[in-house]
Amino acid sequence: MTEHQNRLPDAWVQRIFATMQGHYGTRFLNMWRTGQTLPDGNDAGVVNAMNHWAEKLGWYVNSPETIKSVLEHLPIEPPSLPQFAEMLRHRSEEHTS
């Protein structure tokens, strides 16, 4: 197995973060911001978080419908990575039962 085999595509993670930012505003992105700006203008903490989410959520690379469903039913407060992963797990179980 290669290192990136179970990794969400960057475009998917960008879409997840954009949806969360649209839903929660800066409350979501501020969970990850460090204030350190990379040469491309992005915040180092947000980039790191996006890479971490891509790796940790890689199990759902073949389940875009599960990710879409969770993004359509977000909770009141912005979720952390473990909370989002748990939401995916629950939604996935609902689809298989």
Side-chain angles (χ1 to χ4, degrees):
M1 177 185 326
T2 65
E3 178 182 331
H4 298 289
Q5 186 172 353
N6 285 331
R7 177 184 168 91
L8 289 183
D10 290 343
W12 291 21
V13 178
Q14 290 167 0
R15 179 64 183 232
I16 291 169
F17 271 59
T19 300
M20 298 279 207
Q21 192 275 331
H23 191 80
Y24 300 111
T26 58
R27 288 187 303 154
F28 180 73
L29 293 180
N30 285 342
M31 293 170 63
W32 323 114
R33 276 190 219 282
T34 63
Q36 178 186 358
T37 305
L38 297 173
D40 65 4
N42 290 312
D43 182 272
V46 173
V47 170
N48 182 55
M50 291 175 78
N51 283 323
H52 192 64
W53 281 54
E55 292 169 8
K56 295 298 182 183
L57 299 177
W59 293 104
Y60 294 95
V61 72
N62 295 318
S63 302
E65 69 285 345
T66 301
I67 296 170
K68 182 180 180 202
S69 180
V70 166
L71 291 173
E72 291 172 349
H73 300 91
L74 291 169
I76 293 172
E77 294 298 320
S80 65
L81 172 58
Q83 291 167 327
F84 192 76
E86 184 68 10
M87 292 163 51
L88 288 170
R89 188 181 67 75
H90 281 292
R91 188 69 59 176
S92 180
E93 288 174 355
E94 289 174 7
H95 287 156
T96 58
S97 350

